[in-house]
């Protein structure tokens, strides 16, 4: 099997220049229910904000393409394409570049977050369809995985949350060594830093993009919790300790930036919403920072804007997005620009 690494491909860091951002128009009524209109308004706001900094393509079911076009600005391309859900971070390709700047896409096996999603046949083929549309090589990965399950520093280090990567409904029988081997072959990763805990109630089973990310090589940002009675407290304390004790592929100790979570918020049925400030998006020259009408919004904005002093920080209300199970990072997938 020819792997991306064998052909010189690796995943660049998210702060590297982008040539495009991919989103997908909300379409699953059983997910959004009466909040569908609010979700579409929120997606359109994110897309209209990003397009000020980089090109945007909005995927939409063919019967919804005209509606998506009406909601989005003229600068946003709408691509009619069948899909089941609206989380391109996980269903679009994870893009990689080679040393010449050539683009390719990694197509992870997708089974609806360990069969948590009711239907995912179209989403399981979405990465292949996008690679074909772009006319770039597609590398079919041998594991069930999603783009939101990994974050890289662009220099060989990856953050991965064990809760999702080792989910027995995703990859039964596989252990850390096997997952690390695939990430090495498909993303060019030399060192994996494992965190054990995702955000409480995360519908993905525990994605890294809700709990920790790289800010630059050697520097990570992590969501924290000070309330010992909170369901996230013990897990977040463990994550923090692992990051403080971790080293990257270059052997560096990690500088850790802590961002306190907002107050818990729940759906009417009592399930916790995944309100994470770590779920931000880095556009060319900007960072889209989630806010939740919470007293911690300003502190999170200050921490994230300070971490990216060369980018214009914009607060985006993510309250409607999290009702579907994700945030700003979850609904976006960056396509890196040639180096």
């Amino acid at each position: 099997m020819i792997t991306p690494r064998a052909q010189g491909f690796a995943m660049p860091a998210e702060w590297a220049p982008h040539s495009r951002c991919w989103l997908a128009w909300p379409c699953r009524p059983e997910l959004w229910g009466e909040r569908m209109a609010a979700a579409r308004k929120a997606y359109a706001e994110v897309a209209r904000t990003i397009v000020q900094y980089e090109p945007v393509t909005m995927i939409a079911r063919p019967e919804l393409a005209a509606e998506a076009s009406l909601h989005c600005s003229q600068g946003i391309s709408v691509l009619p394409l069948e899909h089941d859900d609206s989380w391109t971070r996980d269903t679009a390709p994870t893009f990689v570049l080679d040393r010449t700047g050539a683009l390719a896409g990694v197509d992870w096996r997708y089974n609806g977050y360990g069969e948590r999603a009711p239907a995912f046949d179209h989403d399981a083929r979405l990465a292949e369809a996008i690679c074909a549309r772009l006319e770039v090589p597609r590398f079919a990965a041998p594991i069930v995985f999603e783009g939101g399950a990994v974050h890289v520093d662009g220099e060989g280090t990856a953050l991965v949350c064990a809760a999702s990567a080792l989910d027995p409904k995703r990859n039964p029988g596989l252990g850390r060594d096997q997952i690390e081997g695939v990430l090495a072959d498909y993303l060019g990763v030399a060192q994996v830093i494992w965190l054990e805990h995702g955000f409480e109630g995360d519908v993905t089973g525990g994605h890294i993009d809700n709990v920790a990310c790289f800010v630059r090589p050697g520097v990570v940002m992590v969501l924290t919790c000070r309330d010992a009675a909170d369901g996230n407290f013990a897990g977040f304390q463990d994550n923090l300790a692992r990051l403080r004790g971790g080293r990257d592929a270059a052997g560096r100790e990690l500088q850790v930036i802590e961002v306190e979570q907002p107050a818990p918020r729940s759906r009417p049925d009592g399930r916790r919403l995944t309100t994470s400030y770590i779920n931000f998006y880095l556009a060319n020259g900007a960072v889209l920072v989630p806010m939740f009408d919470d007293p911690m919004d300003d502190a999170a904005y200050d921490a994230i804007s300070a971490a990216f002093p060369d980018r214009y920080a914009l607060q985006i209300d993510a309250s409607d997005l999290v009702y579907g199970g994700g945030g700003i990072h979850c609904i976006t997938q960056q396509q890196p620009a040639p180096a």
Side-chain angles (χ1 to χ4, degrees), residues 218 278 297 305 315:
I278 304 298
D297 286 352
S305 60
Q315 283 183 303

Side-chain angles (χ1 to χ4, degrees), residues 199 210-211 221-225 236 259-261 276-278:
F199 195 106
N210 276 318
V211 294
M221 184 173 286
V222 61
L223 198 65
T224 57
C225 172
F236 283 5
V259 176
E260 178 73 10
Q261 69 173 14
S276 173
Y277 295 118
I278 304 298

Side-chain angles (χ1 to χ4, degrees), residues 175-293:
R176 295 169 198 252
D177 289 347
Q178 290 95 333
I179 299 296
E180 289 179 7
V182 173
L183 297 181
D185 286 339
Y186 284 79
L187 300 183
V189 169
Q191 172 74 18
V192 175
I193 299 172
W194 290 89
L195 302 187
E196 299 301 304
H197 305 279
F199 195 106
E200 182 187 37
D202 185 347
V203 297
T204 70
H207 269 182
I208 196 69
D209 66 355
N210 276 318
V211 294
C213 65
F214 284 104
V215 168
R216 55 186 178 274
V219 183
V220 294
M221 184 173 286
V222 61
L223 198 65
T224 57
C225 172
R226 298 174 187 169
D227 181 1
D230 190 285
N232 278 327
F233 179 78
F236 283 5
Q237 287 293 108
D238 184 76
N239 287 347
L240 182 59
R242 291 175 187 275
L243 289 171
R244 285 176 171 166
R247 290 182 179 269
D248 65 13
R252 292 171 292 212
E253 294 183 0
L254 300 174
Q255 177 186 338
V256 180
I257 301 170
E258 300 180 39
V259 176
E260 178 73 10
Q261 69 173 14
R265 190 177 302 182
S266 300
R267 297 176 176 85
D269 63 6
R271 290 179 298 156
R272 186 168 186 167
L273 295 169
T274 314
T275 49
S276 173
Y277 295 118
I278 304 298
N279 208 280
F280 55 79
Y281 180 74
L282 293 172
N284 292 336
V287 54
L288 278 65
V289 182
M291 65 177 181
F292 303 101
D293 191 23

